[in-house]
Amino acid sequence: EAVYAYVITEDGHAGDEALRQAIIEGVEDAIGPIARPEQVIFTPELPKTRSGKIMRRLLEDIANGAELGDTSTLRNPEIVEEIRTSVQD
């Protein structure tokens, strides 16, 4: 098991290495080194259902390289492939 941080930046801010390090350090300071994210993935949005709930199961499947389940209930199914590509890079 590993911690992955999926991060949506505010408009006009880039997800660069400096921000990645700041996020990692912030997590370590707030929670401790045990919670240090193994990966920080910058994404324009997260997979959400029509009611706005984030599909955490899909994010876990992407992180584990597992087969994705049903994405038909997503408001934005195209984002799943974008995130998967970011994780694989």
Side-chain angles (χ1 to χ4, degrees):
E1 302 258 334
V3 176
Y4 278 45
Y6 295 92
V7 178
I8 301 171
T9 59
E10 292 181 357
D11 291 335
H13 291 90
D16 57 14
E17 193 57 35
L19 181 56
R20 185 180 316 276
Q21 277 307 119
I23 291 169
I24 291 170
E25 290 170 9
V27 170
E28 287 181 338
D29 288 345
I31 302 172
I34 189 102
R36 175 182 170 73
E38 182 175 302
Q39 283 198 38
V40 176
I41 298 101
F42 295 105
T43 180
E45 61 180 315
L46 295 171
K48 295 181 184 170
T49 63
R50 299 203 190 303
S51 67
K53 292 183 180 177
I54 296 171
M55 294 293 292
R56 290 173 184 85
R57 173 188 52 82
L58 287 174
L59 296 175
E60 183 178 356
D61 289 346
I62 290 169
N64 292 330
E67 187 69 32
L68 299 180
D70 181 21
T71 60
S72 64
T73 60
L74 292 179
R75 180 180 69 199
N76 52 352
E78 69 285 348
I79 198 65
V80 174
E81 195 55 41
E82 280 186 51
I83 294 171
R84 188 194 324 236
T85 301
S86 294
V87 169
Q88 292 174 348
D89 289 345

Coordinates of all heavy atoms in Angstrom, one line a residue:
E1 N 0.8 -1.2 0.0 CA 0.0 0.0 0.0 C 0.9 1.2 0.0 O 1.9 1.3 0.7 CB -0.9 0.0 1.2 CG -1.8 -1.2 1.4 CD -3.2 -0.9 1.0 OE1 -3.6 0.3 1.0 OE2 -3.9 -1.8 0.5
A2 N 0.5 2.2 -0.8 CA 1.2 3.5 -0.9 C 0.2 4.6 -1.0 O -0.9 4.5 -1.4 CB 2.1 3.4 -2.1
V3 N 0.7 5.8 -0.6 CA -0.1 7.0 -0.6 C 0.1 7.7 -2.0 O 1.3 7.9 -2.3 CB 0.2 8.0 0.5 CG1 -0.6 9.2 0.4 CG2 -0.1 7.3 1.9
Y4 N -1.0 7.9 -2.7 CA -0.9 8.7 -3.9 C -1.7 10.0 -3.7 O -2.8 9.9 -3.1 CB -1.5 8.0 -5.1 CG -0.6 7.0 -5.8 CD1 0.1 6.1 -5.0 CD2 -0.6 6.9 -7.1 CE1 0.9 5.2 -5.7 CE2 0.2 6.0 -7.8 CZ 1.0 5.1 -7.0 OH 1.8 4.2 -7.7
A5 N -1.2 11.1 -4.1 CA -1.9 12.4 -3.9 C -2.3 12.8 -5.3 O -1.5 13.1 -6.2 CB -1.1 13.4 -3.2
Y6 N -3.6 12.9 -5.6 CA -4.2 13.4 -6.8 C -4.5 14.9 -6.5 O -5.3 15.2 -5.7 CB -5.4 12.7 -7.2 CG -5.1 11.2 -7.6 CD1 -5.2 10.2 -6.6 CD2 -4.7 10.9 -8.8 CE1 -4.9 8.9 -6.9 CE2 -4.4 9.5 -9.1 CZ -4.5 8.6 -8.1 OH -4.2 7.3 -8.4
V7 N -3.8 15.8 -7.3 CA -3.9 17.2 -6.9 C -4.5 18.0 -8.1 O -4.0 17.9 -9.3 CB -2.5 17.8 -6.6 CG1 -2.5 19.3 -6.3 CG2 -1.9 17.0 -5.4
I8 N -5.4 18.9 -7.9 CA -6.0 19.8 -8.8 C -5.4 21.2 -8.4 O -5.7 21.6 -7.3 CB -7.5 19.8 -8.8 CG1 -8.0 18.4 -9.1 CG2 -8.0 20.8 -9.8 CD1 -9.5 18.3 -8.9
T9 N -4.7 21.8 -9.3 CA -4.1 23.1 -9.0 C -5.2 24.2 -9.4 O -6.1 24.0 -10.2 CB -2.9 23.4 -9.8 OG1 -3.1 23.3 -11.2 CG2 -1.8 22.4 -9.4
E10 N -5.0 25.3 -8.8 CA -5.9 26.5 -9.1 C -5.5 27.0 -10.5 O -4.4 26.8 -10.9 CB -5.7 27.6 -8.1 CG -6.2 27.2 -6.7 CD -6.1 28.3 -5.7 OE1 -5.5 29.4 -6.0 OE2 -6.5 28.1 -4.6
D11 N -6.5 27.7 -11.1 CA -6.2 28.2 -12.4 C -5.0 29.1 -12.4 O -4.8 29.9 -11.5 CB -7.4 29.0 -12.9 CG -8.6 28.1 -13.2 OD1 -8.4 27.0 -13.5 OD2 -9.7 28.6 -13.2
G12 N -4.1 29.0 -13.4 CA -3.0 29.8 -13.5 C -1.7 29.3 -12.8 O -0.7 29.8 -12.9
H13 N -1.9 28.2 -12.0 CA -0.7 27.6 -11.3 C -0.3 26.3 -12.0 O -1.2 25.4 -12.2 CB -1.1 27.4 -9.9 CG -1.2 28.6 -9.1 ND1 -2.4 29.3 -9.0 CD2 -0.4 29.4 -8.4 CE1 -2.3 30.4 -8.3 NE2 -1.0 30.5 -7.9
A14 N 0.9 26.1 -12.2 CA 1.4 24.9 -12.8 C 1.8 23.9 -11.8 O 2.2 24.2 -10.7 CB 2.7 25.2 -13.7
G15 N 1.6 22.6 -12.1 CA 2.0 21.5 -11.2 C 3.4 21.2 -11.6 O 3.7 20.3 -12.4
D16 N 4.4 21.8 -10.9 CA 5.8 21.6 -11.2 C 6.4 20.8 -10.0 O 5.8 20.5 -9.0 CB 6.5 22.9 -11.5 CG 6.4 23.9 -10.4 OD1 6.0 23.5 -9.3 OD2 6.7 25.1 -10.6
E17 N 7.7 20.6 -10.2 CA 8.5 19.9 -9.2 C 8.5 20.6 -7.8 O 8.5 20.0 -6.8 CB 9.9 19.6 -9.7 CG 10.6 18.5 -8.9 CD 9.9 17.2 -8.7 OE1 9.3 16.8 -9.7 OE2 10.0 16.6 -7.6
A18 N 8.6 21.9 -7.9 CA 8.6 22.7 -6.6 C 7.3 22.5 -5.9 O 7.3 22.3 -4.6 CB 8.9 24.2 -6.9
L19 N 6.2 22.5 -6.6 CA 4.9 22.3 -5.9 C 4.8 20.9 -5.4 O 4.3 20.7 -4.3 CB 3.8 22.7 -6.8 CG 2.4 22.5 -6.3 CD1 2.2 23.4 -5.0 CD2 1.3 22.9 -7.3
R20 N 5.3 20.0 -6.2 CA 5.3 18.5 -5.7 C 6.0 18.4 -4.4 O 5.5 17.7 -3.5 CB 5.9 17.7 -6.8 CG 5.8 16.2 -6.6 CD 6.5 15.4 -7.7 NE 6.2 15.9 -9.1 CZ 5.1 15.5 -9.8 NH1 4.2 14.7 -9.2 NH2 4.9 16.0 -11.0
Q21 N 7.2 19.0 -4.3 CA 8.0 18.9 -3.1 C 7.3 19.6 -1.9 O 7.3 19.1 -0.8 CB 9.4 19.5 -3.3 CG 10.4 18.5 -3.9 CD 10.5 17.2 -3.2 OE1 10.2 16.2 -3.8 NE2 10.9 17.2 -1.9
A22 N 6.7 20.7 -2.2 CA 6.0 21.4 -1.1 C 4.8 20.6 -0.6 O 4.5 20.6 0.6 CB 5.4 22.8 -1.7
I23 N 4.1 19.9 -1.5 CA 3.0 19.0 -1.0 C 3.5 17.9 -0.2 O 3.0 17.6 0.9 CB 2.2 18.5 -2.3 CG1 1.5 19.7 -2.9 CG2 1.3 17.4 -1.9 CD1 0.9 19.3 -4.3
I24 N 4.6 17.3 -0.6 CA 5.2 16.1 0.1 C 5.6 16.6 1.5 O 5.3 16.0 2.5 CB 6.3 15.5 -0.7 CG1 5.8 14.8 -1.9 CG2 7.1 14.6 0.2 CD1 6.8 14.3 -2.9
E25 N 6.3 17.8 1.5 CA 6.8 18.3 2.8 C 5.6 18.7 3.7 O 5.7 18.5 4.9 CB 7.7 19.5 2.6 CG 9.0 19.1 2.0 CD 9.9 20.3 1.5 OE1 9.5 21.4 1.8 OE2 10.9 20.0 0.8
G26 N 4.6 19.3 3.1 CA 3.4 19.6 3.9 C 2.7 18.4 4.5 O 2.3 18.5 5.7
V27 N 2.6 17.4 3.8 CA 2.0 16.1 4.3 C 2.9 15.6 5.5 O 2.4 15.2 6.5 CB 1.8 15.1 3.2 CG1 1.4 13.7 3.8 CG2 0.8 15.5 2.2
E28 N 4.2 15.5 5.3 CA 5.1 15.0 6.3 C 5.0 15.9 7.6 O 5.0 15.4 8.7 CB 6.5 15.0 5.8 CG 6.8 13.9 4.8 CD 8.2 13.8 4.3 OE1 8.9 14.9 4.4 OE2 8.6 12.7 3.9
D29 N 4.9 17.2 7.4 CA 4.8 18.1 8.6 C 3.5 17.9 9.3 O 3.5 17.9 10.5 CB 5.0 19.6 8.1 CG 6.4 19.9 7.7 OD1 7.3 19.1 8.0 OD2 6.6 21.0 7.1
A30 N 2.4 17.8 8.6 CA 1.1 17.8 9.2 C 0.8 16.4 9.8 O 0.2 16.3 10.8 CB 0.0 18.2 8.2
I31 N 1.2 15.3 9.1 CA 0.8 14.0 9.5 C 2.0 13.2 10.0 O 1.9 12.4 10.9 CB 0.1 13.2 8.3 CG1 -1.1 14.1 7.9 CG2 -0.3 11.9 8.8 CD1 -1.8 13.5 6.7
G32 N 3.1 13.3 9.3 CA 4.3 12.6 9.6 C 4.9 11.8 8.4 O 4.2 11.7 7.4
P33 N 6.1 11.4 8.5 CA 6.7 10.7 7.4 C 6.0 9.4 6.9 O 6.2 9.0 5.8 CB 8.1 10.4 7.9 CG 8.3 11.0 9.2 CD 7.0 11.5 9.7
I34 N 5.3 8.8 7.8 CA 4.5 7.6 7.4 C 3.5 7.9 6.3 O 3.2 7.0 5.6 CB 3.9 7.0 8.7 CG1 3.3 5.6 8.3 CG2 2.8 7.8 9.2 CD1 4.2 4.5 8.8
A35 N 3.0 9.1 6.2 CA 2.0 9.5 5.2 C 2.6 10.1 4.0 O 1.9 10.6 3.1 CB 1.0 10.4 5.9
R36 N 3.9 10.1 3.9 CA 4.6 10.7 2.7 C 4.0 10.1 1.4 O 4.1 8.9 1.2 CB 6.1 10.5 2.8 CG 6.9 10.9 1.6 CD 8.4 10.6 1.8 NE 9.2 10.8 0.6 CZ 9.6 12.0 0.2 NH1 9.1 13.1 0.7 NH2 10.3 12.1 -0.9
P37 N 3.5 10.9 0.5 CA 3.0 10.4 -0.8 C 4.1 9.8 -1.6 O 5.2 10.4 -1.8 CB 2.4 11.6 -1.5 CG 2.2 12.6 -0.4 CD 3.3 12.4 0.6
E38 N 3.9 8.6 -2.1 CA 4.8 8.0 -3.0 C 4.8 8.7 -4.4 O 5.8 8.8 -5.0 CB 4.4 6.5 -3.3 CG 5.4 5.8 -4.2 CD 5.0 4.3 -4.3 OE1 5.0 3.6 -3.2 OE2 4.8 3.8 -5.4
Q39 N 3.6 9.1 -4.8 CA 3.5 9.9 -6.0 C 2.5 11.0 -5.8 O 1.5 10.9 -5.1 CB 2.9 9.0 -7.2 CG 3.9 8.1 -7.8 CD 3.5 7.6 -9.1 OE1 2.9 8.3 -9.9 NE2 3.8 6.4 -9.4
V40 N 2.8 12.2 -6.5 CA 1.9 13.3 -6.5 C 1.5 13.5 -8.0 O 2.4 13.7 -8.8 CB 2.5 14.6 -6.0 CG1 1.6 15.8 -6.1 CG2 2.9 14.4 -4.5
I41 N 0.2 13.3 -8.3 CA -0.2 13.4 -9.7 C -1.1 14.6 -9.8 O -2.1 14.8 -9.2 CB -1.1 12.1 -10.1 CG1 -0.2 10.8 -10.0 CG2 -1.6 12.2 -11.5 CD1 -0.4 10.1 -8.7
F42 N -0.7 15.5 -10.7 CA -1.4 16.7 -11.0 C -2.4 16.4 -12.1 O -2.1 15.7 -13.1 CB -0.5 17.8 -11.5 CG 0.4 18.3 -10.4 CD1 1.8 17.9 -10.4 CD2 0.0 19.0 -9.3 CE1 2.6 18.3 -9.4 CE2 0.8 19.4 -8.3 CZ 2.2 19.0 -8.4
T43 N -3.7 16.7 -11.9 CA -4.7 16.4 -12.8 C -5.7 17.6 -12.9 O -5.9 18.3 -12.0 CB -5.5 15.1 -12.4 OG1 -6.5 14.8 -13.3 CG2 -6.0 15.3 -11.0
P44 N -6.3 17.8 -14.1 CA -7.2 18.9 -14.3 C -8.5 18.7 -13.5 O -9.2 19.7 -13.1 CB -7.5 19.0 -15.8 CG -7.2 17.7 -16.3 CD -6.1 17.1 -15.4
E45 N -8.9 17.5 -13.2 CA -10.1 17.2 -12.4 C -10.0 15.7 -12.0 O -9.2 15.0 -12.4 CB -11.4 17.5 -13.1 CG -11.6 16.8 -14.4 CD -13.0 17.2 -15.1 OE1 -14.0 17.2 -14.4 OE2 -12.9 17.4 -16.3
L46 N -11.0 15.3 -11.2 CA -11.1 13.9 -10.7 C -12.3 13.3 -11.3 O -13.3 13.9 -11.6 CB -11.1 13.9 -9.2 CG -9.8 14.4 -8.5 CD1 -10.0 14.6 -7.0 CD2 -8.7 13.5 -8.8
P47 N -12.3 11.9 -11.4 CA -13.5 11.2 -11.9 C -14.6 11.4 -10.8 O -14.5 11.1 -9.7 CB -13.1 9.8 -12.0 CG -11.9 9.6 -11.2 CD -11.2 11.0 -11.1
K48 N -15.8 11.9 -11.3 CA -16.9 12.2 -10.4 C -18.2 11.6 -11.0 O -18.4 11.6 -12.2 CB -17.1 13.7 -10.2 CG -15.9 14.3 -9.4 CD -16.2 15.8 -9.2 CE -14.9 16.4 -8.6 NZ -15.0 17.9 -8.6
T49 N -19.1 11.2 -10.1 CA -20.4 10.8 -10.5 C -21.2 12.1 -10.7 O -20.8 13.2 -10.4 CB -21.1 9.9 -9.4 OG1 -21.3 10.7 -8.2 CG2 -20.3 8.7 -9.1
R50 N -22.4 11.9 -11.3 CA -23.3 13.0 -11.6 C -23.7 13.7 -10.3 O -24.0 14.9 -10.3 CB -24.5 12.5 -12.3 CG -24.1 11.9 -13.6 CD -25.2 11.9 -14.6 NE -25.0 11.1 -15.8 CZ -24.0 11.2 -16.7 NH1 -23.0 12.0 -16.4 NH2 -23.9 10.4 -17.7
S51 N -23.6 13.1 -9.2 CA -23.9 13.7 -7.9 C -22.7 14.5 -7.3 O -22.8 15.1 -6.3 CB -24.5 12.7 -6.9 OG -23.4 11.8 -6.5
G52 N -21.6 14.3 -8.0 CA -20.4 15.0 -7.5 C -19.5 14.2 -6.6 O -18.4 14.7 -6.2
K53 N -19.8 13.0 -6.3 CA -18.9 12.2 -5.5 C -17.7 11.7 -6.3 O -17.8 11.2 -7.4 CB -19.7 10.9 -5.0 CG -20.8 11.3 -4.0 CD -21.5 10.0 -3.5 CE -22.5 10.4 -2.5 NZ -23.3 9.2 -2.0
I54 N -16.6 11.8 -5.7 CA -15.3 11.4 -6.3 C -15.3 9.8 -6.3 O -15.5 9.2 -5.3 CB -14.1 12.0 -5.6 CG1 -14.1 13.5 -5.8 CG2 -12.8 11.4 -6.2 CD1 -13.1 14.2 -4.9
M55 N -14.9 9.2 -7.4 CA -14.8 7.8 -7.5 C -13.4 7.3 -7.0 O -12.5 7.1 -7.8 CB -15.1 7.3 -8.9 CG -16.5 7.6 -9.4 SD -17.7 6.6 -8.5 CE -17.4 5.0 -9.2
R56 N -13.3 7.2 -5.7 CA -12.0 6.8 -5.1 C -11.6 5.4 -5.6 O -10.4 5.1 -5.7 CB -12.1 6.8 -3.6 CG -12.2 8.3 -3.1 CD -12.4 8.4 -1.6 NE -12.6 9.7 -1.2 CZ -13.7 10.4 -1.2 NH1 -14.8 9.8 -1.7 NH2 -13.8 11.7 -0.8
R57 N -12.6 4.5 -5.8 CA -12.3 3.1 -6.3 C -11.5 3.2 -7.6 O -10.5 2.4 -7.8 CB -13.6 2.4 -6.5 CG -13.4 1.0 -7.1 CD -14.8 0.4 -7.4 NE -15.7 1.2 -8.2 CZ -15.6 1.4 -9.5 NH1 -14.7 0.7 -10.2 NH2 -16.4 2.1 -10.2
L58 N -11.9 4.1 -8.5 CA -11.2 4.2 -9.8 C -9.8 4.7 -9.6 O -8.8 4.2 -10.2 CB -11.9 5.1 -10.7 CG -13.2 4.5 -11.3 CD1 -13.9 5.6 -12.1 CD2 -12.9 3.3 -12.2
L59 N -9.6 5.6 -8.7 CA -8.3 6.2 -8.4 C -7.4 5.1 -7.8 O -6.2 5.0 -8.2 CB -8.3 7.4 -7.5 CG -9.1 8.6 -8.0 CD1 -9.2 9.7 -7.0 CD2 -8.4 9.1 -9.3
E60 N -7.9 4.2 -7.0 CA -7.2 3.1 -6.4 C -6.8 2.1 -7.5 O -5.7 1.6 -7.5 CB -8.0 2.4 -5.3 CG -7.2 1.3 -4.6 CD -8.0 0.7 -3.5 OE1 -9.1 1.2 -3.1 OE2 -7.5 -0.3 -2.9
D61 N -7.8 1.8 -8.4 CA -7.5 0.9 -9.5 C -6.4 1.4 -10.4 O -5.5 0.6 -10.8 CB -8.7 0.6 -10.3 CG -9.8 -0.2 -9.5 OD1 -9.4 -0.8 -8.5 OD2 -10.9 -0.3 -10.0
I62 N -6.4 2.7 -10.6 CA -5.4 3.3 -11.5 C -4.0 3.2 -10.8 O -3.0 2.8 -11.4 CB -5.7 4.8 -11.8 CG1 -6.9 4.8 -12.7 CG2 -4.5 5.5 -12.4 CD1 -7.5 6.2 -12.9
A63 N -3.9 3.5 -9.5 CA -2.7 3.4 -8.8 C -2.1 2.0 -8.7 O -0.9 1.8 -8.8 CB -2.9 4.0 -7.4
N64 N -3.0 1.0 -8.7 CA -2.6 -0.4 -8.6 C -2.4 -1.0 -9.9 O -2.0 -2.2 -10.0 CB -3.6 -1.2 -7.7 CG -3.6 -0.8 -6.3 OD1 -2.6 -0.3 -5.8 ND2 -4.7 -0.9 -5.6
G65 N -2.7 -0.3 -11.0 CA -2.6 -0.9 -12.3 C -3.6 -2.0 -12.6 O -3.4 -2.8 -13.4
A66 N -4.7 -1.9 -11.8 CA -5.8 -2.9 -12.0 C -6.7 -2.6 -13.1 O -6.8 -1.4 -13.6 CB -6.5 -3.0 -10.7
E67 N -7.5 -3.5 -13.5 CA -8.6 -3.3 -14.5 C -9.6 -2.4 -13.9 O -10.0 -2.6 -12.8 CB -9.2 -4.7 -14.9 CG -10.2 -4.6 -16.0 CD -9.5 -4.3 -17.3 OE1 -8.3 -4.7 -17.5 OE2 -10.1 -3.7 -18.2
L68 N -10.0 -1.4 -14.7 CA -11.0 -0.5 -14.2 C -12.4 -1.1 -14.3 O -12.7 -1.8 -15.2 CB -11.0 0.8 -15.0 CG -9.7 1.6 -15.0 CD1 -9.8 2.8 -15.9 CD2 -9.3 2.0 -13.6
G69 N -13.2 -0.8 -13.3 CA -14.6 -1.2 -13.3 C -15.4 -0.3 -14.1 O -15.0 0.3 -15.0
D70 N -16.7 -0.3 -13.8 CA -17.7 0.4 -14.6 C -17.5 1.9 -14.5 O -17.4 2.4 -13.4 CB -19.1 0.0 -14.1 CG -20.2 0.7 -14.8 OD1 -20.0 1.2 -16.0 OD2 -21.3 0.8 -14.3
T71 N -17.3 2.6 -15.6 CA -17.2 4.0 -15.6 C -18.4 4.7 -16.2 O -18.4 5.9 -16.4 CB -15.9 4.5 -16.4 OG1 -16.0 4.0 -17.7 CG2 -14.7 3.9 -15.7
S72 N -19.5 4.0 -16.4 CA -20.6 4.5 -17.1 C -21.4 5.6 -16.3 O -22.1 6.4 -16.8 CB -21.6 3.4 -17.6 OG -22.1 2.8 -16.4
T73 N -21.2 5.6 -15.0 CA -21.9 6.5 -14.1 C -21.1 7.8 -13.9 O -21.6 8.7 -13.2 CB -22.2 5.9 -12.7 OG1 -20.9 5.6 -12.1 CG2 -23.1 4.7 -12.8
L74 N -20.0 7.9 -14.5 CA -19.2 9.1 -14.4 C -19.7 10.3 -15.2 O -20.2 10.1 -16.3 CB -17.7 8.9 -14.8 CG -16.9 7.9 -13.9 CD1 -15.5 7.8 -14.4 CD2 -16.9 8.4 -12.5
R75 N -19.6 11.5 -14.6 CA -19.9 12.7 -15.3 C -18.8 13.0 -16.3 O -19.1 13.6 -17.4 CB -20.0 13.8 -14.3 CG -20.4 15.2 -14.9 CD -20.5 16.2 -13.8 NE -19.1 16.5 -13.3 CZ -18.9 17.1 -12.1 NH1 -19.9 17.4 -11.3 NH2 -17.7 17.3 -11.7
N76 N -17.6 12.6 -16.1 CA -16.4 12.9 -16.9 C -15.5 11.7 -17.1 O -14.4 11.7 -16.7 CB -15.6 14.0 -16.2 CG -15.3 13.7 -14.8 OD1 -15.8 12.7 -14.2 ND2 -14.5 14.5 -14.2
P77 N -16.0 10.7 -17.9 CA -15.2 9.5 -18.0 C -13.9 9.6 -18.7 O -13.0 8.9 -18.5 CB -16.2 8.6 -18.8 CG -17.1 9.5 -19.5 CD -17.3 10.7 -18.6
E78 N -13.7 10.7 -19.5 CA -12.5 10.9 -20.2 C -11.3 11.2 -19.3 O -10.2 10.9 -19.6 CB -12.6 12.1 -21.3 CG -12.8 13.4 -20.6 CD -14.2 13.7 -20.0 OE1 -15.1 13.0 -20.3 OE2 -14.3 14.8 -19.3
I79 N -11.6 11.7 -18.1 CA -10.5 12.1 -17.2 C -9.8 10.8 -16.7 O -8.6 10.9 -16.3 CB -11.0 13.0 -16.0 CG1 -9.9 13.7 -15.3 CG2 -11.8 12.1 -15.0 CD1 -9.2 14.7 -16.2
V80 N -10.5 9.7 -16.6 CA -9.9 8.5 -16.1 C -8.6 8.1 -16.9 O -7.6 7.8 -16.4 CB -10.9 7.3 -16.1 CG1 -10.3 6.0 -15.7 CG2 -12.1 7.7 -15.2
E81 N -8.7 8.2 -18.2 CA -7.6 7.8 -19.1 C -6.5 8.9 -18.9 O -5.3 8.5 -18.9 CB -8.0 7.7 -20.5 CG -7.0 7.0 -21.4 CD -6.6 5.7 -20.9 OE1 -7.5 4.9 -20.4 OE2 -5.4 5.3 -20.9
E82 N -6.8 10.1 -18.8 CA -5.8 11.2 -18.5 C -5.0 10.9 -17.3 O -3.8 11.0 -17.2 CB -6.4 12.6 -18.4 CG -6.8 13.2 -19.8 CD -7.3 14.6 -19.6 OE1 -6.6 15.4 -18.9 OE2 -8.3 14.9 -20.1
I83 N -5.7 10.5 -16.2 CA -5.0 10.2 -14.9 C -4.2 9.0 -15.1 O -3.1 9.0 -14.6 CB -6.1 10.1 -13.8 CG1 -6.8 11.4 -13.6 CG2 -5.4 9.6 -12.5 CD1 -8.0 11.4 -12.6
R84 N -4.7 8.0 -15.7 CA -4.0 6.7 -15.9 C -2.7 7.0 -16.6 O -1.6 6.5 -16.3 CB -4.8 5.7 -16.6 CG -4.1 4.3 -16.6 CD -4.6 3.3 -17.6 NE -5.9 3.2 -17.8 CZ -6.6 2.1 -17.7 NH1 -6.1 1.0 -17.2 NH2 -7.9 2.0 -18.0
T85 N -2.7 7.8 -17.7 CA -1.5 8.2 -18.4 C -0.5 8.9 -17.5 O 0.7 8.6 -17.6 CB -1.9 9.0 -19.6 OG1 -2.8 8.3 -20.5 CG2 -0.7 9.4 -20.4
S86 N -1.0 9.8 -16.7 CA -0.1 10.6 -15.8 C 0.6 9.6 -14.8 O 1.7 9.8 -14.5 CB -0.9 11.6 -15.0 OG -1.4 12.6 -15.9
V87 N -0.1 8.7 -14.3 CA 0.4 7.7 -13.3 C 1.5 6.8 -13.9 O 2.5 6.5 -13.3 CB -0.7 6.9 -12.7 CG1 -0.1 5.8 -11.8 CG2 -1.6 7.8 -11.8
Q88 N 1.3 6.4 -15.2 CA 2.2 5.5 -15.9 C 3.5 6.2 -16.3 O 4.5 5.6 -16.5 CB 1.5 4.9 -17.1 CG 0.4 3.9 -16.7 CD -0.4 3.4 -17.9 OE1 -0.2 3.9 -19.0 NE2 -1.2 2.4 -17.6
D89 N 3.5 7.5 -16.4 CA 4.7 8.3 -16.9 C 5.7 8.3 -15.8 O 5.7 8.2 -14.7 CB 4.3 9.7 -17.3 CG 3.5 9.7 -18.6 OD1 3.5 8.7 -19.3 OD2 2.9 10.8 -18.9

